[in-house]
Amino acid sequence: YLLEAYVAAARGDAAGLVAALEAGQRATPDEQTALWEWELMRLLDQTGDRAGALQAVGKLIQMTPDDALVYHASALILEKEERLREAIQMELVCLSKAPWHLDASRLLLELLERDGQIPEAVEWANRLVDSPHMAPAREEFQRYRDRLAGLLAEIRIRELEAKFRLPISPDTI
């Protein structure tokens, strides 16, 4: 059944892949239900059916609410749809369940920055730098934090310039 679904996905046949996975699920009732739903989500996303993939994610969340990977997968799909705030929420849930999830941490910082939430991104980068779970990536998060802190300083300078209608250079601060 999985092979049929993979072939259908390669052809871009979303209906065919759904039919193959549903047949597989019927053939193995009560066994590995989450696996079938995971594959459905993954293959629908691969074929560009993001709405279907998100529907499958919703079912996965109901089936396995403690599985951090489901929330991260949801964030990845939402990000492709430019639904940044929802993707951020999914990554926050993921990290509450698996604070060591490196990819979720990276994506969260990227999403916060893309959404213009620079102060929040700096705050999260600080948390990640201090987290014992992120020790292997500490230097990476330090560089990210430093870059974001620089962006935040530039934003604050522009705000002051607009407020007081004065050009401000780093030398005048």
Side-chain angles (χ1 to χ4, degrees), residues 1-6 17 19-28 36:
Y1 300 105
L2 282 175
L3 183 57
E4 285 179 44
Y6 294 151
L17 80 87
L21 290 174
E22 286 175 348
Q25 198 167 15
R26 282 190 306 275
T28 57
W36 293 108

Side-chain angles (χ1 to χ4, degrees), residues 1-22 35-44 46-47:
Y1 300 105
L2 282 175
L3 183 57
E4 285 179 44
Y6 294 151
V7 170
R11 289 192 317 250
D13 179 9
L17 80 87
V18 169
L21 290 174
E22 286 175 348
L35 168 71
W36 293 108
E37 207 61 43
W38 183 271
E39 286 301 314
L40 178 62
M41 179 264 316
R42 197 178 67 70
L43 291 171
L44 287 173
Q46 181 182 319
T47 62

Side-chain angles (χ1 to χ4, degrees), residues 68-143:
L69 291 178
V70 173
Y71 297 94
H72 180 60
S74 178
L76 290 168
I77 296 167
L78 289 164
E79 182 219 4
K80 291 174 190 171
E81 291 292 301
E82 293 297 318
R83 292 166 58 181
L84 302 181
R85 299 231 167 146
E86 292 168 90
I88 289 166
Q89 290 306 310
M90 290 293 110
E91 289 299 35
L92 291 172
V93 174
C94 174
L95 289 169
S96 74
K97 295 177 182 304
W100 56 87
H101 199 296
L102 185 57
D103 289 337
S105 299
R106 287 178 177 133
L107 184 58
L108 176 63
L109 291 178
E110 179 186 325
L111 292 167
L112 288 167
E113 181 179 1
R114 284 176 50 198
D115 194 45
Q117 298 182 48
I118 306 301
E120 293 83 355
V122 170
E123 181 183 324
W124 265 99
N126 281 327
R127 287 185 199 175
L128 293 169
V129 166
D130 294 338
S131 170
H133 300 295
M134 296 296 154
R138 183 165 284 127
E139 288 181 22
E140 173 188 348
F141 289 125
Q142 285 172 332
R143 286 190 302 275

